Every structure is written in C-alpha cells, then in structure tokens.
Amino acid sequence: MSQITPEIVEQHGLSAEEYEQVLTALGREPNLVELGIFSVMWSEHCSYKSSRLHLKKLPTEAPWVICGPGENAGVIDIGEGPDGAKLAAIFKMESHNHPSYIEPYQGAATGVGGILRDVFTMGARPVANMNALRFGRPDHPKMKHLVRGVVEGIGGYGNCVGVPTVGGETNFHPAYDGNILVNAMTVGVADQDRIFYSAATGVGNPIVYVGSKTGRDGIHGATMASADFAEDSEEKRPTVQVGDPFTEKLLIEACLELMATDAIVAIQDMGAAGLTSSSVEMASKGGAGIRLDMNKVPCREEGMTPYEMMLSESQERMLMVLKPGKEAMAEAVFRKWELDFAVIGEVTDTGHMVLEWNGETVCDIPLAPLADKAPLYDRPHLSREEYKAWAQVKPLGDMPQSADIGADLLKLMACPDLASRAWIWRQYDSQVGADTLQKPGGDAGVVRVHGTRKALAISTDCTPRYCYADPYEGGKQAVAETYRNICAVGARPLAITNCLNFANPQRPEIMAQIVGCLEGMSAACRVLDYPIVSGNVSLYNESKATGGGSAILPTPAIGGVGLLEDYATMATIGFKAAGEAIYLIGQEPWASPNPDPGHLGQSIWLREIHGREDGDAPHVDLTLEKSSGELVRELVAAGLVSAVHDVSDGGLAVTLAEMALAGNLGASAEAHPDYAPAAWWFGEDQGRYLVTVPDVDAFQAQLAKGTRDADTASAGVRRIGTVGGDSVLGVKLSALREAHQSFFRDWMES
C-alpha cells in the first residue's frame, strides 16, 4: 500500500499536478522525507514559482553592483576603506509575516536574526537594521498585542546582538487586520576581497554544520508562509521558530574569524526550509551533488527523524563547505565561541541530494528539479483596465475643501499613520556600535563607514494605498520615495532591495497587482539608475479568519541604500535658525503633465478628514524625480541648505510641521494663489522637497549656475515661507507636539 496518500500530498502544500511532476522527476514514488523536501523547495517562499517569471524583468546591473540577486544578499561597491582596501555594502530585506501574526515576539525576533545571517554569511559585519511594519486597525482586539510583541521582538533581538536599528516605517490599515507584515532589512560592510558565496565546489570537500543544535521548532515554516491563514492560525504556533540573539552574536564573531582565514569554500545560512534549502542551494549553485549523514546532525531533542531534521527551521545555524584539512582549525574557532561544529557530509559529483541515516539511504533526489527546474507559473492576470474596473476605486470628483487648515493639520499629526513613532524607536538601540549619525525620525537612517569619512544612508518605503489604486504608479512611487529620502540626507542612491508582499497569486486581480507593481518598480529603477540587487517575495498574505478572505493591500516594500562621501555634509530635517528662507523644490505642478496638481486622490488628508479612499494614485514623473534629487544633493554638498525634508504623506503642511517639531522652531508660509487651500497644503504630488536656506543670494547663484545643467534645469524652485515663531499654519508648536505624541502614548497606556 502507498505510503503517500493524496491527503498527505495536500498537507504538504503540493497540488496534484505538482505531485505528478515529483513522480516524473524521481521515476518512482517518493518516501516521506523526499516528499517533505520537495514540499518546502517548491513552496512559494523558496521557489518563487508565481513571481520568478516577472522578477527576471527587473534591472539588476550597474557599474557599482558586485553581486545582484541570487545570493544570500546583494553587494555594491562603496569605494576605499581606511587602509586603501576596497569596501562593499551588503544588504537584503526579508519577510516574517505569518510567524509574526501567530507569535509576534518570536516571529519578529527571528525575522531580524534571519536577515542578519543573510548578510554576515557573505563576509560582512552588520552595521544597521531597518524594518517596515504594517498593522491593522488600532481598535482591532488583537492589534495592540501584535504591535507590542513585534516591536519588542525587533528590539530584543537587535539590541542583544549589537546591531543598531536606525529607522523604518510603521503603517496601519484595516486590510492588515488578519495578516500583519513584518519586513526586516540589514546592511553590512565587507572588504571586497573577502566576500563569500554559496556555491559548493570540490568533490570530497567536507560539509560542516555550525551554530545551534537542531530542534523541532519551525518545521514546515516555509510551507506555512506559502499559504493564506485559515481559522486555525493559532494552531500553527509550533511552526514559528525561536531565536537566541546571544548565540547569533557568537555566530557572527565565529564566522567572521574563520572568514579571515582561507578555510571556507562556500557558506550558506540555514533560513527558510533550514538544512534542506541551504544544502540544495549550495549544491545546485555549484553544479555538484551532496551527501549528508543525518546521524551526525547536532540535535537538541531526542528521537528526531531525518524528516524533522531536514525541515526544521531552528535558528542560528549555518552550513559550510571547507577546504580539506581545515576541519580541526575551523572546529577550534567554533568551540572557542561555544558553538556546535560537526562534519555532516561531503560534496559529490552525482548531481543528487543523498541522505543517509542508520546506515540506510533515506533520500536520493536529483537536485535540478528541486532548484533550477522547480515549477514556474505564468499566472493569469487582469489587464490594467480590467484591474481598474475590479478595484472599484471611486473617482475623486469635485475637489474636496478644508473648513480649517490648522484643525486639519492637528488631526493629521495625531492620526496613526503620521503620529510620532518615538514609542517604537525608544525600544530600539540605535547607537550601539557608535557609528550611527542619524537616528530614526529623519528621512533616512545614516551610519558611518567605520574609520572613513563615508556614510551609508538607508530608507524603507512603500505607499500601499497608491499600489492598490494603481499598481504601476504605486510601484514607481515606492522606489522613488526611497530615492528621495536618501537624496534628502545628501547621499547618492546606489541600489535597492525589496520585500514583495501580496495576497493569493492564483487570483487574477492579485496577480495584476504583482505584475503592475513590478513593472512600475522596473521603470523607476531604470530611469533613476537605481538597480535591484536582492529581495524576497511573500505571497498568500490574506486571512480567511477575518471573514471572507481578507487580502492585504499590495505592499512592495523597498529598502534603499545610498552613499555619502563625506558625512560632514549630511542634512537633517529640523529647522535650524529663525529667519532662514523655506523653499519648495520640485517641478512646479502647473507646468507638469500631471493633470491634477495639488493631488488629493488617495491622500492621507482625504482619508482622515473626509473618510474617503478615493481617486487615482499620484503620478510619478521619473525624469523630474531624478532632476529634483540631483539638485537637492548638489545643494546639500555645497552647504547651501540647512534642513531638508521630502514631501510625502500629508503634503506640505505635514512636512512643515515635522521640520518645525524636529527643530523646535515655527514657520510662516504662504499658500499658492492658484490653488485651493486643501490642494496646496495637503496634496501629495511627488518628487518634492522642502529646504531651508541661510544665504538666499548664494542659493540663487547656485541655482543660476545649475540652470546650465540639463539634468537639474527642470526642477522647479519656489520660496514659500520663513523659519521663525512658535507656530505652523496658525497652530502652536505645543499643540502640534501634543497631537503628534498622543496616539501611541494614549493607545499603549489605555
């Protein structure tokens, strides 16, 4: 009688058609170990079977890109270090969405741990963490618990492991009630001649397991992350991994110490799908085979089977291929750091994964079907027009008006999406390592490249409501906003990573969101010369538990990295001195092809003041976005602007208020005579910055000089006000500060 029943196949997340492919690949029926391995390797989380076709269209190359997608993390050139050696920044963003909904503390903590390993696996010392968080309605009965747990988990892990968390974003929307998003990003720095890759080579070379012991936590984590939530989400708690940041810190130091020798041929983090994915990826990338002795895998629980060992997602573990004869030296390093070390197998030339246990072969699978030849789907998707009809976003209609600009500003500053995140940031150690130059609260986190005048600027961004209304424009905007935030501190944007969070790709309307966002991202990356070097796809982010299949908003979170050649020129958002002029930089909307200057469609103001989520997403003119960014960087480098802040959610009014609160100085500002007040103050037109100018004559002289440069000539510049006083738009700073601080304080204390 068959060991593998249709019910067992279904429990492993494989369709009947996919199981037929397994039979064809093996030429026989699999045993349970083999089925489990196919299950996790063919999950969306590991195979990207619904998105791979479209991901191939993204731009991934530039002269400064050393390694693009396909490795543990992306690698870019950042120039010389203190000793003349060439340096690289290594970074990636990952999701830990489903685990964080089930067990928020451990889900978020192990998300941080996993992304740290992706970076230091390649030889980099992690220097900064970021995150992008999406939660549901604050009045949802579970949401306070989820927010508390996620924030504590991120802080608990990052603080203990000694890597500063320097920024991020947090948003709220009912679409995330049943499926929150927790995206974590890590950036590290390495010598370019000490970068490590994952391709296993050298027949007979030993395969080594290092780090923590294997337990039963996290089994089927990758499969769980590749399905939507049903009513039984709480029963999936055993699939959530448990992290130990102190062990992770030891693992970082041990790996970096061994990397300083010539012992390592290849190295891979045991992330999603644990020992299975790490061994399959290493062997397949090297065009080799792999043999593992499961009796030698360090286990912390009694009676673990090969099935459990291969599918466990226990944390703080790595797999290495060493040069022959280096085992004793490597073991001494890891024993010194009180970590497990075991030679568990060898590289072969068979092209197969072979597992042995108690003297018997319990798995023999050709590697090609597990990796390069995994299922690849061209899922049906709606056209752009069909999607627009399906989404049923109402037109904006007549221009909404404001009864009281000051009262509207106060309400916006207190709303969950714009309120101060200080309650969150205070739980993160942003200063550990002593290289943080700009903490959370600015446009980008900034960390010094140790021993140099250089600094890395990092930002995470996405506006899901734009992506829902128009996936193409929303995808463009997500990339453009990270570009803008990095330019705002004076850095040159170099490359991005991403975390593509969507619902069920088997629904044509969701697949339309995926395709549209990727096309928009691709367009932005090409025009801005801002390639994608790493990323992650997280699908099936929806929940039947909330009643009727609640899908998240399309959320292609973007993590950008840029370079400041001299951090002494870095800009910040706070007003610096009374009397300084305030200028708006960005294409004058009335001269733009944008048909709706003072864009209020999909704006925070429209939602919070009028209770509407109507209208088109704002248009992103990428050529003008690039022009404005280049002009801002030029002005920052020349020392002609004292504060810079990009204009985003809430428009000019909120931007002014945030700059005023950061500098504890008010401002007087004038509306534009051709605009309705609401459109001028709260419109969310893209590609704009507010800057403060100490010396107007020098500023104007630089602009006159810049108009000879075709790249910056099209970026419009308009004076709108002056720094000074104790109010903004008629609202006292004290009232703005109280409103801004009230949401998290009152919510968390209630």
Side-chain angles (χ1 to χ4, degrees):
M1 184 174 177
S2 172
Q3 180 187 8
I4 306 299
T5 66
E7 290 76 21
I8 291 175
V9 171
E10 184 179 0
Q11 288 166 9
H12 281 75
L14 295 171
S15 67
E17 294 77 13
E18 287 170 342
Y19 185 63
E20 286 298 319
Q21 290 178 255
V22 171
L23 296 177
T24 300
L26 291 177
R28 58 176 171 80
E29 185 177 84
N31 61 36
L32 191 61
V33 175
E34 293 166 333
L35 182 70
I37 288 171
F38 272 104
S39 165
V40 294
M41 290 307 300
W42 286 8
S43 68
E44 288 282 3
H45 200 73
C46 293
S47 74
Y48 297 170
K49 58 191 175 187
S50 296
S51 57
R52 223 160 66 231
L53 188 70
H54 302 283
L55 292 172
K56 293 176 182 177
K57 304 171 185 176
L58 296 171
T60 60
E61 297 179 348
W64 53 88
V65 174
I66 296 171
C67 178
E71 274 293 339
N72 287 292
V75 186
I76 58 172
D77 182 353
I78 58 170
E80 288 190 0
D83 56 359
K86 296 280 279 182
L87 297 178
I90 299 180
F91 59 98
K92 189 181 180 185
M93 181 185 271
E94 272 272 11
S95 61
H96 233 219
N97 303 333
H98 287 184
S100 298
Y101 185 82
I102 296 166
E103 175 49 67
Y105 184 94
Q106 289 297 345
T110 52
V112 173
I115 197 63
L116 283 165
R117 287 194 299 282
D118 279 338
V119 168
F120 75 74
T121 292
M122 298 195 69
R125 179 169 292 280
V127 297
N129 287 333
M130 298 281 283
N131 53 70
L133 312 177
R134 318 282 167 184
F135 297 105
R137 293 168 293 135
D139 59 359
H140 185 282
K142 192 172 182 178
M143 211 51 56
K144 188 188 297 187
H145 162 72
L146 291 171
V147 172
R148 282 188 185 278
V150 165
V151 171
E152 288 173 3
I154 291 170
Y157 204 100
N159 297 352
C160 292
V161 85
V163 178
T165 299
V166 298
E169 57 174 347
T170 304
N171 297 123
F172 296 83
H173 192 278
Y176 304 100
D177 279 356
N179 198 126
I180 64 173
L181 301 184
V182 175
N183 297 169
M185 177 180 175
T186 293
V187 181
V189 174
D191 287 347
Q192 288 187 23
D193 61 356
R194 305 301 298 169
I195 296 171
F196 291 81
Y197 298 98
S198 59
T201 57
V203 174
N205 280 349
I207 295 171
V208 173
Y209 172 121
V210 300
S212 291
K213 289 181 167 60
T214 295
R216 291 188 171 95
D217 54 319
I219 292 175
H220 279 300
T223 308
M224 183 264 292
S226 305
D228 56 17
F229 278 142
E231 299 286 352
D232 63 347
S233 62
E234 289 297 321
E235 296 172 19
K236 295 182 177 178
R237 193 176 298 271
T239 65
V240 178
Q241 309 92 328
V242 177
D244 180 352
F246 299 104
T247 299
E248 181 102 339
K249 174 62 174 172
L250 299 177
L251 189 59
I252 291 173
E253 299 304 331
C255 286
L256 292 177
E257 181 175 333
L258 189 61
M259 286 168 171
T261 73
D262 64 347
I264 299 173
V265 174
I267 181 169
Q268 176 76 35
D269 160 43
M270 289 193 218
L275 187 52
T276 292
S277 64
S278 55
S279 54
V280 168
E281 288 170 11
M282 291 179 80
S284 60
K285 286 176 185 174
I290 193 165
R291 183 193 66 81
L292 300 180
D293 183 346
M294 304 308 292
N295 290 96
K296 294 182 178 178
V297 174
C299 293
R300 68 168 180 261
E301 299 184 47
E302 293 292 326
M304 289 192 70
T305 65
Y307 178 94
E308 293 171 321
M309 293 180 219
M310 292 303 292
L311 271 58
S312 167
E313 293 185 9
S314 293
Q315 298 292 287
E316 294 88 40
R317 302 179 301 158
M318 314 283 277
L319 202 63
M320 296 182 180
V321 176
L322 298 182
K323 292 180 180 178
K326 300 292 185 180
E327 297 93 327
M329 181 264 287
E331 181 172 7
V333 170
F334 282 88
R335 296 296 182 196
K336 181 185 79 172
W337 290 100
E338 300 180 347
L339 296 166
D340 274 278
F341 177 99
V343 178
I344 65 169
E346 64 181 0
V347 178
T348 69
D349 60 1
T350 64
H352 280 232
M353 167 185 271
V354 176
L355 307 181
E356 297 172 354
W357 190 50
N358 294 339
E360 296 183 2
T361 298
V362 293
C363 170
D364 187 345
I365 301 177
L367 285 162
L370 289 176
D372 296 338
K373 296 182 180 178
L376 177 63
Y377 297 128
D378 186 359
R379 304 276 194 197
H381 61 273
L382 302 182
S383 69
R384 202 167 173 185
E385 287 306 310
E386 289 170 336
Y387 176 80
K388 195 170 184 179
W390 172 84
Q392 295 184 323
V393 176
K394 295 177 182 177
L396 188 59
D398 294 337
M399 182 69 75
Q401 300 301 320
S402 172
D404 185 331
I405 295 294
D408 288 357
L409 175 58
L410 268 177
K411 187 171 182 180
L412 288 185
M413 295 299 285
C415 79
D417 272 4
L418 294 176
S420 168
R421 269 75 178 121
W423 178 86
I424 296 175
W425 303 331
R426 282 197 296 267
Q427 298 182 60
Y428 302 156
D429 188 340
S430 62
Q431 298 294 312
V432 63
D435 283 322
T436 302
L437 301 175
Q438 194 158 160
K439 300 186 294 184
D443 281 322
V446 182
V447 290
R448 176 174 47 201
V449 178
H450 201 69
T452 75
R453 300 293 299 174
K454 302 176 190 286
L456 295 173
I458 314 157
S459 179
T460 56
D461 293 287
C462 182
T463 310
R465 63 185 187 276
Y466 295 172
C467 295
Y468 181 84
D470 187 331
Y472 179 73
E473 288 295 335
K476 286 164 59 180
Q477 193 272 343
V479 171
E481 190 168 354
T482 68
Y483 182 89
R484 205 180 307 143
N485 281 329
I486 288 169
C487 289
V489 298
R492 177 186 167 216
L494 291 177
I496 67 174
T497 183
N498 61 65
C499 197
L500 307 176
N501 308 273
F502 294 93
N504 186 341
Q506 297 174 58
R507 294 165 54 188
E509 63 273 17
I510 302 301
M511 201 64 215
Q513 295 174 349
I514 297 171
V515 172
C517 285
L518 286 172
E519 288 177 348
M521 289 166 53
S522 180
C525 290
R526 291 182 197 283
V527 174
L528 300 176
D529 206 12
Y530 195 31
I532 295 171
V533 297
S534 61
N536 167 247
V537 180
S538 175
L539 304 182
Y540 295 94
N541 287 292
E542 55 185 79
S543 174
K544 295 182 177 67
T546 55
S550 171
I552 65 162
L553 298 179
T555 311
I558 305 295
V561 174
L563 181 66
L564 270 163
E565 290 292 348
D566 184 351
Y567 55 73
T569 66
M570 179 185 73
T572 56
I573 72 170
F575 288 151
K576 302 300 187 297
E580 294 188 344
I582 304 170
Y583 281 83
L584 171 63
I585 292 179
Q587 175 68 8
E588 301 279 26
W590 54 89
S592 165
N594 179 3
D596 184 17
H599 192 96
L600 288 171
Q602 296 300 321
S603 66
I604 288 278
W605 176 81
L606 186 68
R607 188 184 76 192
E608 296 296 325
I609 304 303
H610 291 276
R612 296 166 54 187
E613 296 187 41
D614 302 342
D616 293 328
H619 173 69
V620 181
D621 186 322
L622 294 168
T623 303
L624 297 175
E625 189 78 57
K626 188 174 185 181
S627 299
S628 298
E630 289 174 343
L631 177 56
V632 166
R633 296 202 307 272
E634 177 185 303
L635 293 168
V636 171
L640 295 172
V641 290
S642 57
V644 183
H645 195 10
D646 82 306
V647 181
S648 57
D649 286 351
L652 288 175
V654 168
T655 307
L656 279 168
E658 289 174 343
M659 297 177 83
L661 290 176
N664 202 30
L665 281 167
S668 57
E670 298 176 354
H672 194 286
D674 296 341
Y675 279 68
W680 175 251
W681 293 119
F682 302 114
E684 294 181 7
D685 303 80
Q686 298 296 295
R688 301 184 298 163
Y689 304 77
L690 284 184
V691 301
T692 53
V693 178
D695 185 337
V696 170
D697 290 340
F699 178 78
Q700 294 290 354
Q702 182 72 20
L703 293 180
K705 174 185 172 184
T707 57
R708 294 192 291 272
D709 181 348
D711 288 333
T712 59
S714 57
V717 180
R718 179 184 184 87
R719 181 166 181 172
I720 69 164
T722 304
V723 176
D726 61 356
S727 63
V728 173
L729 301 182
V731 183
K732 293 286 189 183
L733 287 185
S734 57
L736 282 172
R737 195 175 303 282
E738 169 60 24
H740 200 220
Q741 294 175 350
S742 63
F743 168 68
F744 273 103
R745 180 197 64 206
D746 296 348
W747 187 37
M748 288 302 167
E749 290 178 1
S750 64

